[in-house]
Amino acid sequence: MLKYLLFVFLFTQVSCQEKRPNFVVILTDDQDDVLGGMDPMKNVRRFIGNEGTTFTNSYVTSPICCPSRASLLTGLHVHNHMTWNNSLHGGCYGRTWRKLEARTFAKALRDSGYNTFYAGKYLNEYGTPSAGGPEQVPPGWSEWHGLVGNSVYYNYTISNNGVPTYSTDLYLTDIIRDLSLSYIENQTEAQPFLMLLAPPAPHQPFTPAPRHQGAFSNVSAPRHPNFNLAVTDKHWLITMPPSPLPDSMLPELDRVYRSRWESLLAVDELVADVVEALDSSALLPDTYLIYTSDNGYHIGQFSQVYDKRQPYETDIKVPLLIRGPTIPKNATDNQPILNIDLAPTIMTLAGLNAPQSMDGRSIKFNVKDDLDRKTHRIEIVGNEETERNMLVEYYGEGRDGTVDENCPWKYDSDNLAQCYPQYNCKCQDARNNTYACLRHIAKRINMKYCSFADSTDFIEMYDLSRDPYELTNVINQVLPSVKHWYKLILSQMLTCKGFRNCDNPLENPKVYG
Ligand SMILES: *[C@@H]1O[C@H](CO)[C@@H](O)[C@H](O)[C@H]1NC(C)=O
Ligand SMILES: *[C@@H]1O[C@H](CO)[C@@H](O)[C@H](O)[C@H]1NC(C)=O
Ligand SMILES: *[C@@H]1O[C@H](CO)[C@@H](O)[C@H](O)[C@H]1NC(C)=O
Ligand SMILES: *[C@@H]1O[C@H](CO)[C@@H](O)[C@H](O)[C@H]1NC(C)=O
Ligand SMILES: *[C@@H]1O[C@H](CO)[C@@H](O)[C@H](O)[C@H]1NC(C)=O
Ligand SMILES: *[C@@H]1O[C@H](CO)[C@@H](O)[C@H](O)[C@H]1NC(C)=O
């Protein structure tokens, strides 16, 4: 009897190992959730959404590419991976990162026997001469096609397994698709694989594939109640003139909105083609597909032009859709999720133990009613257990040379960034646009508390259950005890380390000590 049990035990172990799932992660660049960023993605909604779960409360640790991507890869908050901004000097592919790179979830999967494939934009500074050049292949990837530098659509260098290859006229999203299809063809059930596909869309300059130009010529940027609204209760940068933007600026906002949607159509095709390739290789049933973005985007909110880098929902909230063997189908799930949760989630699904040093937590995919799942579109209502205070950090940039000399702000040029006449000199960033927010979500709570590192210690607070467009800063309407509570949690979160501590900041002994 004992022998028999032992046999069963061993057999189970082996068969579990044989059945390790595959992963395909699609990471877009600057795709919002709030302004209808998912509307043009018919295939993504059909092949991932309808066949899986759409998460309606998915956020990023920082609304800017390089820090957000570093978080996704490592499962760490910005203050722990120390990739502060998009430049080498700010940690983007700098020395600290190159040590951390050995701790990404991809490296862990590779070490456990996965085939791993990367194609597209990586960290913004990857492959540049001062970051070590394109001959470097980051650890953890057995098949590497990383883009050198930031997102573009034409005229780019890809490091093909360390061999730089320049291309002028091949549309980057289509190249990522072709590489992906070729890779899938080479896969068998014998060895599990991980693919991370990082197309440039819908990042600036929002270039659609020629076949998609004009596809949305009748679409304009949504006029939500906060569109081109002049405000006085927000931090200094937002209140800078011109506010509101002159009407002459609005056609440009519409053009940007349309072009973003058009540039996303090639990504939507890529996803359909990848799903079809997995299906025809009989790999689809064992594959998790995860679709998300590195940060959101605003177009015209509070009289801003178009960019990310701000603490509002447009910028920090992202699409997240997951399909796979254990994921409820045709479901929506409102549990609060941060991009640092994906690394531990993928490791857990791959049968590995996510290290406690990761700050994120593994997503729980349980459904209440298993029967319901087959027949209805189900809504999982958040419960008290899903209460979470999610930390968002942003370190404002000042960039000399991006303040145009024809703008009236030159006196402070090194503290401001991206002020151009074609934007009516509306600046996009400043050193004192440095902030940390708590995005607090629970069954009956939907709050945001943001504290700015500026000369006035400015605070913004929104009750999103009553004010989804963040029109009214309620900081002066709440009880002092509430303000104190958020201030305390925020200070703990800003120094938190590891899953237990970042999930339960008040258990940190420092509060009582
Ligand atoms: C999901 O819903 C869509 C539209 O309601 C339907 O066409 C599709 O068959 C459903 N898929 C599953 C797997 O239930
Ligand atoms: C790519 O570079 C070529 C040669 O320098 C130039 O003619 C072309 O306009 C560039 N294409 C884009 C989309 O920038
Ligand atoms: C797939 O295998 C073929 C033949 O070995 C090889 O030429 C090709 O580069 C592989 N594709 C990828 C993306 O690895
Ligand atoms: C734009 O045109 C397309 C195709 O002609 C149509 O399906 C869509 O409903 C239109 N959208 C708007 C906002 O008018
Ligand atoms: C990026 O961060 C580094 C380190 O904090 C800082 O020195 C640098 O000025 C920042 N870059 C910009 C453009 O603000
Ligand atoms: C923020 O920085 C700008 C540019 O240096 C400066 O003019 C402004 O007074 C600062 N505001 C606050 C509130 O710190």
Side-chain angles (χ1 to χ4, degrees), residues 198-235:
H203 192 277
Q204 206 163 15
F206 331 104
T207 312
R211 62 187 181 280
H212 297 134
Q213 255 157 23
F216 294 115
S217 52
N218 58 354
V219 167
S220 12
R223 268 48 171 182
H224 290 163
N226 54 13
F227 183 82
N228 207 13
L229 187 71
V231 288
T232 53
D233 65 356
K234 297 189 167 35
H235 60 286

Side-chain angles (χ1 to χ4, degrees), residues 236 412 415 432 454-456:
W236 174 82
D412 256 337
N415 283 318
N432 56 20
D454 64 15
S455 62
T456 60

Side-chain angles (χ1 to χ4, degrees), residues 84-85 87 89-90 396-399 431:
W84 307 107
N85 57 34
S87 47
H89 190 50
E397 291 188 325
R399 203 183 282 262
R431 283 230 192 267

Side-chain angles (χ1 to χ4, degrees), residues 9 29 124 163 213 257 275 347 357 409 436 453 457 472 480 506 508:
F9 174 69
D29 196 345
N124 302 38
V163 181
Q213 255 157 23
Y257 189 81
V275 170
M347 287 185 71
S357 57
W409 331 116
D457 293 326
T472 310
L506 289 186
N508 186 331

